[in-house]
Amino acid sequence: MKTKLLPLVFLLYAIPPAAGQAPSSPQPKPVEGELRATTVAKGLEHPWALEILPDGRMLVSERPGRLRVIDRNGRVAEPLAGVPTVVARRQGGLLDIARSPSFAQDRLIYFSFAEEGEGGAGTAVARAVLAERALEKVQVIWRQAPKVKGDNHFGSRLVFGRDGNLFVTLGDRFAYRDQAQNLATTLGKIVRIQPDGGIPKDNPFVGREGARPEIWSYGHRNVQAATLHPETGQLWTVEHGARGGDELNQPQAGKNYGWPVITYGVDYSGAKIGEGTSKAGMEQPVYYWDPVIAPSGALIYTGNLFPKWNGNLLIGSLQPGQLVRLEMTAGRVSNEHRYGGELGARIRDVQQAPDGAIYLITDENNGRVLRIEPAK
């Protein structure tokens, strides 16, 4: 196993916002620090999600469409049979994984993926029984609508709520960003479904004409980081902005998070997007980044290995490949820290092990699983 030290950042506070504006990141720079990264597995092709199983093994998705088990010694097994065909182009492929809240009894796992169909492609969610060498009883339980052309902005993270319902974060499919404001589609939305794909009766748009009943919140660009707060049960998400404007949000039922009408970013060409940074009836982010961190994977830390981190939000970064730590006070960001700039790799997912260690996966041709712990 290869080990290297990671940088520790100085304490920096969020920049106070102007009236009606969200607080922005002070853009702290990583410096030499006190964390250690150990490679526990490698040889993965663009791994996308990591799920730690109760027996200590790990389940990893690879974007080209493979699902693999990694044993407790870091050995990577052959791909599991039974994974559906995925659209493995650019940002499309096999995406997130989540185990059922009752996994010990039902052995069910849930996964999201880019699926081809009439009109193009879209994000889909399936569930299956995890057997020793295969997925069994595979069932697609939900599909984004409509399917459209293009290979970008599929989302997607899967988060179970305390009530057993499943949040699915979705992208706007890039060229269709105006659809994030259209309640007749699920592009640019967070949806909430039952474990079998049904619609919870208390979803905010149930019974509303012209609105999809699975929608939880809307006006999102491309949410690739999401987690449930272990104490409050609140969903937290981090979504990609364009050029600037990555957002930390606390999505509430039925609310509009503004994309592409309001944003703190600009288009990749430098052109203005939308109407500005605020508008009545549209929510402000809790916090935003400009320049971006390119978020992917998130968790609220609850372990003992880093006692000062308890209650902090950890976020993976695809650019420039860092682990971002946010200190949270009463639902607001009080400090930001960054680690891992010397890794030189895109961090695609972040998970916490039972012993309190942090596990990261790197989005590379030769992707790795890294264990993060204190250097001393």
Side-chain angles (χ1 to χ4, degrees), residues 205-224:
F205 297 106
V206 168
R208 176 167 166 176
E209 186 177 355
R212 301 279 301 198
E214 63 264 49
I215 294 173
W216 176 259
S217 59
Y218 63 110
H220 300 287
R221 186 172 182 266
N222 191 25
V223 182
Q224 291 191 338

Side-chain angles (χ1 to χ4, degrees), residues 292-374:
V292 300
I293 58 168
S296 194
L299 63 84
I300 303 288
Y301 187 76
T302 59
N304 296 320
L305 199 58
F306 299 93
K308 293 183 180 180
W309 291 16
N310 266 286
N312 290 188
L313 179 62
L314 306 184
I315 308 162
S317 172
L318 296 169
Q319 181 186 359
Q322 298 178 354
L323 178 66
V324 177
R325 177 167 70 92
L326 301 180
E327 292 185 46
M328 307 295 292
T329 303
R332 312 300 295 178
V333 177
S334 53
N335 298 301
E336 179 178 347
H337 310 258
R338 297 188 189 183
Y339 310 87
E342 67 185 31
L343 285 176
R346 292 155 54 91
I347 303 303
R348 178 55 79 176
D349 200 8
V350 185
Q351 294 291 330
Q352 180 183 319
D355 67 356
I358 304 300
Y359 279 75
L360 310 176
I361 55 174
T362 66
D363 185 4
E364 307 171 273
N365 288 328
N366 182 16
R368 297 164 288 154
V369 178
L370 305 176
R371 177 183 166 92
I372 308 299
E373 55 193 347

